[in-house]
Amino acid sequence: MGSLEEAERKTIMGWAATDPSGQLSPYSYSLRNTGPEDVYIRVICCGVCHTDIHQTKNHLGMSNYPMVPGHEVVGEVVEVGSNVSKFRVGERVGVGIIVGSCQNCRSCEAEIEQYCNKKIWTYNDVYTDGNPTQGGFASAMVVDQKFVVKIPEGMDPEQVAPLLCAGVTVYSPLSHFGLKQSGLRGGILGLGGVGHMGVKIAKAMGHHVTVISSSDKKREEALDHLGADAYLVSSDEGKMQEAADSLDYIIDTVPVFHPLEPYLSLLKVDGKLILMGVINQPLQFITPMVMLGRKSITGSFIGSIKETEEVLEFCKENNLTSQIEVVKMDYINKAFERLEKNDVRYRFVVDVAGSNLLVDH
């Protein structure tokens, strides 16, 4: 590669938050040169996740600015390092929420690097070279090959983006806890980005799926559009009592404080309540609710690189698509506003390659 191209390549454009207002605007910065283990990726599109809002607005109190968010990244390989054999120039690849880990702890050795205590987040973190990590709302990324996944032939990049976080987040616990076999009865609590993928993936596994929501407003959507088998309004005590002891598992995607007891009562003996929502205050339950059915309250965090590849294959085989709204980069602040009001069915995906990253509206 010539020195002129190298000089051009080091500076790229992204959209960054510069303070806790969370407003994004154009920002230019440098990428590291492609090392022996690295894949240099031109970003095609990137999904928008609730976590992006938490981080840009410093809801978790650990944000560093300027910050380029985005961790459901689909791109094309432009260049590979000398030790990279898995990927070739021109291939479509994906990058999720993690771009590094220690490689030698128990979690890394077990190939569940998302549980490594030294994992490196795709953005709002510091890479091994001391530079800040920046995400997929940008024209390009350089990522260690171990944290890049191959996208199966024929899958639409915009459709793939939400699978890299929302999709694998649901698939991982179903796989890990032995809940993949058909005939199970599952509940999906909360019908946002993760919840809607939960319905689709669980249905494709052959499960009877009940969507549990706080109001009736998503009933038609859940039953007619997503193919759920039943819809339960959590405030309807009669219907909740009728559904007691009926579910093998509940995937709880609600990202705000909520009581657990009503949902624990829906589980069968040995049923599992799997927590997925990031909530920064303690949840409560009384112990007999768990003891008297040998029930489990557990959590699961995204999924491994291996599981990400599995969920992509699973979605391809079962012809599963995510419901998305594609927007350009200059719409991102509006998209964040709408996402905070849950005004999206069910995932925004930014067409990065088709956006003029320099324009600020």
Side-chain angles (χ1 to χ4, degrees):
M1 209 174 190
S3 57
L4 177 65
E5 282 179 82
E6 289 232 319
E8 281 173 4
R9 180 165 82 68
K10 281 182 185 162
T11 302
I12 66 157
M13 285 303 300
W15 274 52
T18 52
D19 59 48
S21 72
Q23 285 289 306
L24 269 57
S25 56
Y27 168 64
S28 72
Y29 57 101
S30 295
L31 288 180
R32 69 178 184 271
N33 284 332
T34 312
E37 300 287 335
D38 286 333
V39 181
Y40 179 63
I41 300 163
R42 179 183 68 84
V43 177
I44 297 169
C45 61
C46 185
V48 182
C49 176
H50 239 112
T51 307
D52 297 326
I53 294 174
H54 288 319
Q55 294 285 9
T56 53
K57 296 202 166 182
N58 198 24
H59 288 166
L60 306 173
M62 295 180 294
S63 296
N64 298 295
Y65 303 98
M67 177 200 304
V68 177
H71 62 253
E72 297 180 341
V73 191
V74 178
E76 183 182 308
V77 177
V78 176
E79 186 187 21
V80 294
S82 53
N83 293 349
V84 175
S85 55
K86 189 177 167 188
F87 303 101
R88 287 196 298 277
V89 170
E91 282 183 326
R92 293 269 168 90
V93 294
V95 179
I97 201 165
I98 292 171
V99 293
S101 69
C102 79
Q103 305 295 330
N104 54 27
C105 68
R106 281 173 59 183
S107 295
C108 288
E109 283 172 3
E111 294 188 329
I112 47 170
E113 55 289 322
Q114 72 272 32
Y115 299 113
C116 171
N117 289 331
K118 293 182 179 166
K119 62 184 162 286
I120 300 172
W121 304 103
T122 299
Y123 66 87
N124 193 35
D125 206 347
V126 177
Y127 201 65
T128 49
D129 63 5
N131 288 311
T133 59
Q134 302 290 12
F137 294 169
S139 56
M141 292 176 79
V142 176
V143 183
D144 182 315
Q145 62 171 339
K146 292 182 194 69
F147 298 90
V148 179
V149 294
K150 200 170 278 192
I151 291 170
E153 286 282 313
M155 290 185 89
D156 176 42
E158 283 84 9
Q159 286 291 344
V160 168
L163 302 178
L164 299 169
C165 174
V168 74
T169 291
V170 174
Y171 178 86
S172 177
L174 293 175
S175 178
H176 174 73
F177 292 118
L179 299 168
K180 275 164 82 173
Q181 72 267 34
S182 64
L184 295 179
R185 299 177 72 88
I188 305 290
L189 179 56
L191 198 56
V194 176
H196 104 282
M197 282 314 306
V199 174
K200 291 187 165 214
I201 287 171
K203 281 298 295 177
M205 288 175 175
H207 297 181
H208 178 284
V209 178
T210 301
V211 169
I212 311 159
S213 191
S214 56
S215 78
D216 226 13
K217 71 174 187 240
K218 291 185 177 172
R219 180 182 295 271
E220 186 188 341
E221 185 73 35
L223 300 175
D224 300 349
H225 297 285
L226 296 175
D229 300 286
Y231 190 91
L232 195 52
V233 178
S234 52
S235 56
D236 183 337
E237 283 181 29
K239 287 276 190 283
M240 288 287 281
Q241 269 168 349
E242 278 173 38
D245 299 321
S246 69
L247 300 178
D248 293 293
Y249 66 87
I250 294 171
I251 288 176
D252 179 350
T253 73
V254 176
V256 291
F257 178 84
H258 56 287
L260 296 183
E261 266 113 350
Y263 310 111
L264 288 168
S265 67
L266 299 175
L267 293 171
K268 296 178 184 175
V269 170
D270 289 329
K272 289 183 167 51
L273 177 67
I274 303 163
L275 299 174
M276 305 243 145
V278 175
I279 306 168
N280 59 4
Q281 61 194 109
L283 298 180
Q284 297 165 320
F285 61 94
I286 56 166
T287 54
M289 296 291 300
V290 172
M291 293 159 53
L292 297 175
R294 199 166 59 190
K295 297 171 186 180
S296 308
I297 298 172
T298 187
S300 177
F301 176 62
I302 49 161
S304 64
I305 296 297
K306 193 162 163 285
E307 287 168 331
T308 306
E309 290 177 334
E310 280 176 26
V311 79
L312 292 178
E313 285 294 345
F314 180 85
C315 289
K316 186 182 179 184
E317 277 166 33
N318 291 280
N319 206 15
L320 286 193
T321 55
S322 31
Q323 273 182 265
I324 56 172
E325 181 176 333
V326 179
V327 298
K328 295 284 195 261
M329 198 71 242
D330 59 13
Y331 189 79
I332 190 64
N333 292 312
K334 183 75 184 152
F336 274 11
E337 265 174 51
R338 285 179 51 198
L339 181 56
E340 282 200 283
K341 297 182 193 136
N342 287 325
D343 174 23
V344 56
R345 293 173 47 221
Y346 279 93
R347 206 61 156 186
F348 284 115
V349 176
V350 180
D351 170 13
V352 178
S355 299
N356 181 350
L357 297 182
L358 287 163
V359 177
D360 190 7
H361 284 243

